[in-house]
Amino acid sequence: MARLLVKSEGLGLSTLELRLGVNHVGRAVDNDFAINHSTISTHHCELILSADGVVLRDCNSTNGSFVNGEPVEEVWLENGQSVRLGDVELMVETTESTIAIPKIEREKPAAPPVVLPDGAFLCPRHPENRATFRCTTCLAIMCSSCVRIIRIKGGKPHFLCATCHNHCERLGGETVKKKMGFLGFLQQTVRLKLGSRPRE
């Protein structure tokens, strides 16, 4: 990681190990690097570390910030440069930043589903259960234990895929009985023959 060496003695500080982002330098204890020296302002400067390097930005300090003897307000630092904050001497050892990219473990694809003699599938995650749902997006099949159910007030339950969280449908479709009206009910239970009356 980027680092500046403290050349001045008697400060109780030998290096400034920068972290990514803004590093505050000054005399006050609330700075990231508190340098107790009379020529250092309360909030003297900022050392900003990014993937591109280190920027030194002076915060209107009383005694100024200098790079290779030149006063600066905001400047990119280079390896080997001398930096002076007030009367405190520093040297830029390195401006490199190490940005670690975390390794993301991808979920292993489920094994192909087992097909039963009757054509039904076994759930890949729960082999003891029959698969009853299929995701309409990733086409994964799953049992009722895998699927996520969202209940919306006043509506039907929605079934969501355990892998991609998209809509699932029941395998083979849902058998929905059509509602029968009152007239249909009468026609089915009482068959009336129009125009025929019982003889007396």
Side-chain angles (χ1 to χ4, degrees), residues 43-174:
H43 297 98
H44 197 98
C45 69
E46 294 175 348
L47 295 168
I48 305 162
L49 176 61
S50 68
D52 296 321
V54 179
V55 171
L56 185 152
R57 189 176 76 83
D58 186 78
C59 298
N60 297 317
S61 62
T62 303
N63 295 306
S65 300
F66 301 83
V67 174
N68 289 344
E70 297 293 326
V72 295
E73 291 183 3
E74 188 168 3
V75 66
W76 286 96
L77 297 180
E78 302 288 341
N79 293 350
Q81 286 181 325
S82 65
V83 175
R84 182 163 56 85
L85 308 177
D87 289 339
V88 175
E89 299 285 343
L90 308 165
M91 190 196 73
V92 182
E93 184 178 61
T94 177
T95 60
E96 294 180 4
S97 60
T98 305
I99 301 175
I101 300 174
K103 186 177 180 182
I104 298 173
E105 295 288 340
R106 296 196 175 191
E107 186 179 342
K108 293 181 180 178
V114 176
V115 182
L116 298 174
D118 63 357
F121 295 103
L122 287 180
C123 175
R125 294 173 187 82
H126 302 98
E128 68 279 7
N129 296 339
R130 288 180 174 238
T132 50
F133 289 91
R134 181 190 303 273
C135 177
T136 57
T137 303
C138 71
L139 303 180
I141 64 168
M142 62 206 76
C143 65
S144 299
S145 299
C146 297
V147 76
R148 305 285 187 263
I149 303 174
I150 295 178
R151 297 189 184 276
I152 298 174
K153 189 175 181 181
K156 294 182 179 180
H158 291 272
F159 303 99
L160 302 180
C161 175
T163 304
C164 69
H165 310 293
N166 286 301
H167 176 70
C168 286
E169 61 185 5
R170 288 189 182 275
L171 286 174
E174 292 182 312

Side-chain angles (χ1 to χ4, degrees), residues 172-184:
E174 292 182 312
T175 54
V176 180
K177 291 185 178 180
K178 201 172 182 180
K179 286 189 177 180
M180 186 178 293
F182 181 71
L183 183 60

Side-chain angles (χ1 to χ4, degrees), residues 23-58:
N23 298 264
H24 301 275
V25 181
R27 199 171 64 252
V29 293
D30 63 346
N31 288 286
D32 298 297
F33 300 102
I35 301 176
N36 188 14
H37 194 275
S38 60
T39 63
I40 298 286
S41 295
T42 306
H43 297 98
H44 197 98
C45 69
E46 294 175 348
L47 295 168
I48 305 162
L49 176 61
S50 68
D52 296 321
V54 179
V55 171
L56 185 152
R57 189 176 76 83
D58 186 78

